[in-house]
Structures are given as structure tokens and as C-alpha cells.
Amino acid sequence: MALRPGLMRRFLSTSLFSSQSYAAATATGSASVANTVSDKPAVAPSMTLFVSGLNKRTTSEKLQEEFAKFGEVVHARVVTDRNSGYSKGFGFVNYATLEDAEKGIKGMDAQFLDGWVIFAEYARPRTPPGQSASPETYQHFPPARG
């Protein structure tokens, strides 16, 4: 059974598991656990961070306050649902410098914020509307005969 990349990382970072249990799992030869963490494609460093795993009640102000501990935050935004106004579970943090952004990732990745484990990484560039990130993401089906 193939696991989605990052799923095992999220599972092992919960409060039920400590870094010791993760180390024990990787030391016993569980290659699939070790590979799911490092299989992520590399993203070019940028001053914008993508933050996922946010609590539904986390605000942009709280996000900025926590990430400001690691450098100068220019802007922080939690993406919210239009109807409920609650967080969709992710947001973006813009730092003034690449060094501050790197410190922000190191300081906040896999940490607790409002009781939830969050993940911080460099934001990927946005693809233009109507284009996929990669052509391989679409399945090609033969035309229907009728």
C-alpha cells in the first residue's frame, strides 16, 4: 500500500509519537517510513512560506505573532472559508529576507500552534489558471464510442 508523501510524517509528528519512536522505526529497517519524509521534491527557497495543518480558529494575527519570533514578517495570511470565516487549514507567511524565512521554517516546522501540529515549507510558485502543474497529472482516456 503506497502512502501519500508527508502522511507518515504528519502521523509521526503527533503528540502520541515522540522523536524516539520515529528513530526506532527508521532504525529497524522500515524503509518506507524513512523514504516518505525525504521523497518530497525540492522547492527553490523563497521569502514566502506555505504553512499547513492550522487549527480552524487560528487567525492571521496569531500566525504573524508566532512566526515573527524568527525574523521580520512582512505579511501573514490565513486562508479562510468565505461562508464560515474559519481557517481552511493553511496560510502564507512573507518574510523580509531569505535568511529569516529559513529560520522560520526551522523554528516552526512540526511545532504546535493552537494545539495543532503545523508544517512550514517554502511556497511553490503559482501555476497560471487553466494549466496543470505537470502534464502527467491528467489521465488520458480514449474518446467515447457511441
Side-chain angles (χ1 to χ4, degrees):
M1 178 174 139
L3 291 177
R4 197 176 84 216
L7 181 65
M8 188 59 71
R9 176 180 172 213
R10 179 176 294 273
F11 180 70
L12 292 174
S13 67
T14 60
S15 60
L16 295 176
F17 293 91
S18 66
S19 59
Q20 294 172 346
S21 62
Y22 176 73
T26 57
T28 59
S30 179
S32 63
V33 172
N35 287 340
T36 58
V37 175
S38 63
D39 282 349
K40 282 181 127 176
V43 178
S46 74
M47 294 183 289
T48 304
L49 304 184
F50 173 72
V51 183
S52 60
L54 295 174
N55 188 323
K56 299 291 183 199
R57 305 236 184 232
T58 300
T59 63
S60 295
E61 292 79 22
K62 178 71 173 183
L63 189 66
Q64 180 161 355
E65 176 186 321
E66 292 300 316
F67 276 84
K69 296 175 182 176
F70 302 99
E72 182 186 346
V73 174
V74 175
H75 181 72
R77 183 173 79 97
V78 172
V79 177
T80 56
D81 181 79
R82 290 181 189 172
N83 295 329
S84 68
Y86 289 125
S87 165
K88 284 189 169 184
F90 67 93
F92 297 91
V93 177
N94 292 357
Y95 276 101
T97 65
L98 284 173
E99 293 79 20
D100 288 346
E102 184 178 349
K103 289 179 200 171
I105 289 176
K106 288 181 181 176
M108 291 300 291
D109 188 40
Q111 298 299 313
F112 282 94
L113 178 63
D114 291 339
W116 289 38
V117 177
I118 64 167
F119 299 97
E121 59 185 309
Y122 293 115
R124 299 180 191 284
R126 188 183 266 189
T127 57
Q131 292 182 1
S132 70
S134 65
E136 295 82 25
T137 58
Y138 290 110
Q139 293 180 347
H140 299 284
F141 295 104
R145 295 186 181 170

